[in-house]
Amino acid sequence: MLDLYYWTTPNGHKVTMFLEEAGLPYRLVPVNIGKGEQFHPDFLAIAPNNRIPALVDPAPAGGGAPVSLFESGAILLYLADKTGRFIPPAAEVAARAEVLQWLFWQMGGLGPMAGQNHHFSQYAPEKIPYAIDRYVKETNRLYGVLDRRLKGRAFVAGDDYSIADMAIYPWIVPHERQGQKLEDFPELARWFAAIQARPATQRAYARAAEVNPGAQPSVNEQSRAILFGQTASNTAAKV
C-alpha cells in the first residue's frame, strides 16, 4: 500500500485524484502544514524541501527497495509510469511530450503564479496593490493560455485524460480567490466542469474533507510565521 503524506492543498489534491482514478490502494498520512508538521525529522527524511505531498511506494515496479518521492509533478509521473496509465508510453514520443510539457507548464507557471496570487491577495498582512495586480493579471494570462489550448480538445494533451489535467485542475478550483471568472474562459469552463464531474475527482475531494473538515484558507500570526517565515537557519533549527 502506498503512503501519501498529504495536506488539503492543490498540490495534495493532484495525487489523490490520480490514486482514485487508478484505484491504487493508499493510506493518507496527514501533515498539517499550518502547525509545522512538515518540519518533523521523519517527514524531512522523505521530503527534504519540507513541502507536501510526498509518497512512499514500498513495492516499486521491478522490485527492490521502497521508493520515496517529493514534488507533486514527480509523483504524478512516477505513478503514471508505474501503472501505465494517464501518460503515453515512451515509444509514443510526440504524445508523451504533449503531456509532459503541460505538466511542467503547471509546475513552473500556473502553480507558482497562482500561489503568489493567493499569498498577496489572501494571506499577506499588508495588502500591496502592485503585487496583487501583478499576480492577478498573470493568473489571468495563464487562464487565457489554457483556454486557447483547450479549443478543439477534450483535455489538455488531446483526447485522453492525463496527469497534466490532474495537475492543473486543483489550481483552477480556487479561481474566485484568484480574482478570475470561469465564464470569461468558455473552453476552460467546459473542461473544468467535465473534470469536476468525474467520480474519482469527487472521491479525492471527499478524502480532503475527511482530513480537514470545512477547510477554509485562514492564516493567523502563528501559522503565518510557520508557512511564510522560514529561512535556511530557522528551518534547520527545527530538525
Side-chain angles (χ1 to χ4, degrees):
M1 178 175 291
L2 299 163
D3 282 336
L4 176 62
Y5 293 77
Y6 165 89
W7 197 241
T8 53
T9 71
N11 288 335
H13 299 321
K14 295 175 188 178
V15 185
T16 52
M17 286 174 66
F18 184 101
L19 293 170
E20 291 294 339
E21 288 281 355
L24 291 173
Y26 69 99
R27 180 174 70 103
L28 286 181
V29 183
V31 179
N32 189 327
I33 59 176
K35 294 181 178 180
E37 293 175 359
Q38 67 271 38
F39 301 108
H40 191 281
D42 290 347
F43 181 67
L44 289 175
I46 302 166
N49 195 38
N50 57 263
R51 296 289 189 271
I52 64 92
L55 182 81
V56 176
D57 182 358
V67 171
S68 65
L69 300 101
F70 66 102
E71 287 293 334
S72 57
I75 294 169
L76 288 176
L77 182 55
Y78 174 84
L79 291 172
D81 284 337
K82 175 184 174 71
T83 59
R85 299 187 65 187
F86 306 113
I87 192 170
E92 297 178 20
V93 175
R96 186 178 177 90
E98 290 287 346
V99 173
L100 290 176
Q101 67 182 348
W102 286 98
L103 172 65
F104 282 94
W105 177 84
Q106 185 282 309
M107 297 295 297
L110 179 63
M113 295 300 102
Q116 293 300 320
N117 181 327
H118 294 168
H119 179 80
F120 285 107
S121 63
Q122 304 289 327
Y123 302 134
E126 177 185 357
K127 299 304 180 186
I128 304 171
Y130 174 81
I132 294 170
D133 185 64
R134 162 76 178 97
Y135 289 110
V136 168
K137 285 182 176 177
E138 177 62 6
T139 304
N140 185 270
R141 186 190 72 80
L142 291 165
Y143 275 46
V145 171
L146 185 56
D147 190 65
R148 291 189 296 274
R149 171 64 184 180
L150 286 164
K151 187 174 183 179
R153 293 180 177 87
F155 299 106
V156 174
D159 293 334
D160 297 325
Y161 188 52
S162 75
I163 57 173
D165 301 287
M166 296 177 201
I168 294 168
Y169 173 84
W171 282 100
I172 305 296
V173 170
H175 54 271
E176 292 181 353
R177 289 198 290 121
Q178 297 166 6
Q180 311 302 320
K181 297 179 180 179
L182 288 190
E183 56 263 36
D184 294 338
F185 305 97
E187 299 294 340
L188 171 54
R190 180 260 310 161
W191 168 90
F192 182 86
I195 295 178
Q196 187 179 51
R198 293 177 75 91
T201 302
Q202 296 173 14
R203 291 195 301 269
Y205 278 80
R207 295 301 306 270
E210 294 170 10
V211 170
N212 189 15
Q216 295 295 326
S218 61
V219 175
N220 56 33
E221 289 302 317
Q222 181 181 6
S223 61
R224 183 179 286 111
I226 292 170
L227 291 168
F228 309 129
Q230 301 306 314
T231 65
S233 58
N234 65 18
T235 300
K238 298 175 183 293
V239 179

